[in-house]
Amino acid sequence: MTAPCILWFRQDLRLGDNPAVEAVRHGAVLPVFVLDDAAAGELAYGGAARWWLHHSLDALQRDLEARGASLLLLKGDAVALLAELARRTGATAIHAGWLAEPWARAQEVALAERLSADGRRLELHRSSHLLHPASILTGSGRLYTVYAPFARKVLASGEVPPPIDAPDRLNGVTPPAGLSLADLALTPVPPQPNWAAEFGTAWTPGEAGARERLAQFIEDGLENYATRRNEPGVEGSSNLSPHLRWGEISPRQVWHAARGAGGAEALPFLREILWREFSHHLLWHRPEMPREALRAPFASFPFAPDQDLLHAWQGGRTGYPIVDAGMRQLWRIGWMHNRVRMIAASLLVKHLLQPWQDGAAWFMDTLVDADPANNSASWQWIAGSGTDASPYFRVFNPILQGEKFDPEGAYVRRWLPELARMPSRYIHRPYEAPEEIRHAAGVTEQSYPRPVVDHATGRARALAALRATARGPVPEGVEA
């Protein structure tokens, strides 16, 4: 075998605008992906993410084969397997994209040390971010803890470099024996229930699917993004989050496409890309973020863990239609509208006093775009324990939120068919409807539950818990 460079794909499963691919495009190359669940530990890919990964790897395999290379699939200790692969093939270097997750950073250090001891090297590239998290610091050299000044700093840091085209050909070498995609066991197989049956109706994983999704958004959604992104009943989201999470498209590609098409009007959407950067910035500097409160007082927040309440929330049986519709959407297609994510998370943590870590864990298992940085930063923002959770005493009113953002109930009717015949006036508060209206709509306590907690009661309890946490006066709360 000709001594190649090893191209280690991690969470950048694309060929276009991939600096690691660019670094090896002119020499012999051996592409490889290693599934290493043990290294990730509690941050290992959840079920929905594994479904996406399966199909993304399938697409990457085909894209590589069309350019003259094959993807070697391995499973186990990535450090040991890659070091041994380099030794067997004579590769002098492994090229990969760096990651912000603490387990991945530890993996990079261990692999670099192992390779260096053998006269080889690990070359890391920025493939999944606009900027390195350590490069955006305050004037005093500290991490940014508030999103707005972070975003201003990035916007003022200069133009984002243009993306790099994918190579037409790669000089792939014949790989050693590896695993098949089925061997990785990423998708449910009989006798397991096929909980992912509907995922394929909503998503097309892979680089081509990502480009198509971006093009569709630029053409149909970017212009009205600022006004439609909060309306779950319409196609107002970009739906790019899982493609970005798996690196099937790069932030630079998205940035330039939006900038070129929308100019200043693209800024509301670009700020969402910057929130992703901010989340990774926080994780880089605060690796405890997925499991520990970032604000010390919130470590003692008086949660009241209750498995029945958690299960009611997970199953979309809380009695709050906008929340339940979101949880049903999540289970059916592995994704939930962002506005609804906030409402659902607020209900769990504040009304129900369930630990935000339990909600974050459920999202990590059920979201196709499950990302440790985005997920934990957003949950801590909702819980009030995040560095940018201001005002931390905000309590979302799930009824008012539903009436504001889904006024005719289009979203609720789609995901909660048991409420489909309820008049719009009562769609978000079905048990306030007169009995004859509920009867005509076929709504009973057997078909759809009453709220697991009254909003006023839940809000008062949340504010009391916040007062206990803050150990001082807390305003009456911001009801959104």
Side-chain angles (χ1 to χ4, degrees):
M1 178 190 293
T2 303
C5 279
I6 293 173
L7 176 58
W8 178 24
F9 285 99
R10 304 174 80 191
Q11 294 170 21
D12 48 2
L13 306 180
R14 68 181 186 279
L15 300 179
D17 196 39
N18 190 329
V21 174
E22 180 67 14
V24 302
R25 70 185 298 169
H26 299 299
V29 59
L30 174 56
V32 60
F33 176 86
V34 185
L35 181 65
D36 188 351
D37 286 327
E42 63 184 9
L43 296 179
Y45 307 134
R50 294 169 84 86
W51 175 91
W52 191 287
L53 177 60
H54 173 97
H55 293 282
S56 190
L57 288 172
D58 182 47
L60 181 62
Q61 282 180 319
R62 288 182 273 110
D63 290 344
L64 284 165
E65 289 168 0
R67 289 168 171 83
S70 297
L71 180 64
L72 174 63
L73 297 175
L74 300 172
K75 184 176 183 179
D77 182 340
V79 172
L81 289 169
L82 288 166
E84 174 61 16
L85 184 64
R87 187 194 64 78
R88 289 172 56 195
T89 61
T92 58
I94 295 177
H95 290 264
W98 56 259
L99 299 175
E101 288 94 327
W103 68 267
R105 294 170 64 186
Q107 194 179 57
E108 293 161 9
V109 171
L111 179 58
E113 290 176 350
R114 182 82 67 93
L115 292 174
S116 178
D118 202 22
R120 310 178 199 280
R121 67 188 190 279
L122 174 64
E123 297 282 352
L124 295 173
H125 305 267
R126 188 176 76 242
S127 62
S128 299
H129 302 80
L130 295 176
L131 297 163
H132 196 287
S135 70
I136 301 295
L137 299 172
T138 66
S140 59
R142 299 175 182 272
L143 81 154
Y144 277 96
T145 58
V146 178
Y147 166 73
F150 173 87
R152 287 195 295 269
K153 181 69 172 283
V154 175
L155 289 169
S157 64
E159 289 298 320
V160 173
I164 307 164
D165 291 336
D168 294 326
R169 295 290 298 173
L170 288 170
N171 181 21
V173 300
T174 302
L179 302 176
S180 70
L181 190 53
D183 291 332
L184 298 185
L186 294 168
T187 57
V189 295
Q192 293 177 292
N194 186 13
W195 43 260
E198 292 186 56
F199 284 17
T201 66
W203 306 106
T204 306
E207 187 172 5
R211 290 197 305 267
E212 182 179 350
R213 182 75 76 174
L214 175 60
Q216 181 179 351
F217 172 66
I218 294 299
E219 180 178 353
D220 300 330
L222 180 62
E223 182 179 3
N224 297 313
Y225 179 78
T227 57
R228 307 305 296 274
R229 64 189 175 123
N230 281 315
E231 301 176 30
V234 301
E235 288 294 332
S237 301
S238 73
N239 294 304
L240 285 167
S241 56
H243 298 291
L244 281 165
R245 190 268 179 273
W246 291 107
E248 297 168 347
I249 200 162
S250 75
R252 294 196 306 192
Q253 289 171 311
V254 174
W255 189 276
H256 277 274
R259 270 285 199 210
E265 291 184 354
L267 191 57
F269 171 67
L270 296 180
R271 290 191 182 280
E272 298 301 316
I273 302 298
L274 294 181
W275 173 260
R276 177 181 181 272
E277 293 280 320
F278 179 60
S279 298
H280 285 249
H281 170 84
L282 288 176
L283 182 61
W284 181 274
H285 293 280
R286 300 290 301 273
E288 74 275 18
M289 185 170 71
R291 62 185 184 280
E292 298 177 13
L294 294 182
R295 298 173 68 179
F298 281 81
S300 60
F301 188 87
F303 290 117
D306 183 314
Q307 287 297 302
D308 289 340
L309 290 176
L310 179 62
H311 291 159
W313 179 82
Q314 291 171 334
R317 300 283 296 174
T318 69
Y320 287 100
I322 192 71
V323 171
D324 294 336
M327 301 307 292
R328 307 278 186 90
Q329 180 186 34
L330 173 63
W331 186 255
R332 295 264 296 276
I333 66 170
W335 185 86
M336 190 196 303
H337 187 276
N338 188 60
R339 168 58 60 171
V340 184
R341 294 188 198 196
M342 292 192 289
I343 305 167
S346 179
L347 182 83
L348 181 72
V349 174
K350 292 186 172 170
H351 285 75
L352 305 184
L353 294 184
Q354 299 308 294
W356 64 264
Q357 294 92 336
D358 289 347
W362 183 252
F363 274 20
M364 285 298 294
D365 191 40
T366 54
L367 283 169
V368 292
D369 62 7
D371 174 275
N374 287 14
N375 190 51
S376 56
S378 297
W379 273 95
Q380 294 226 36
W381 182 84
I382 284 291
S385 58
T387 62
D388 191 24
S390 178
Y392 65 89
F393 46 84
R394 175 189 285 112
V395 178
F396 282 98
N397 182 328
I399 298 172
L400 295 183
Q401 287 280 308
E403 292 175 340
K404 180 177 181 179
F405 296 111
D406 187 35
E408 298 303 316
Y411 180 74
V412 167
R413 295 178 207 283
R414 177 178 180 184
W415 299 108
L416 296 181
E418 60 266 45
L419 296 182
R421 291 186 288 154
M422 182 64 68
S424 298
R425 177 182 177 184
Y426 296 108
I427 190 74
H428 294 288
R429 48 180 88 220
Y431 284 101
E432 293 183 21
E435 184 176 354
E436 61 269 21
I437 291 179
R438 294 201 308 272
H439 178 76
V443 176
T444 68
E445 292 185 30
Q446 288 69 46
S447 66
Y448 186 72
R450 289 182 179 272
V452 290
V453 65
D454 171 71
H455 165 63
T457 301
R459 180 175 180 274
R461 190 169 58 177
L463 291 175
L466 289 165
R467 290 188 185 97
T469 301
R471 292 179 173 81
V474 171
E476 275 306 301
V478 175
E479 187 169 77

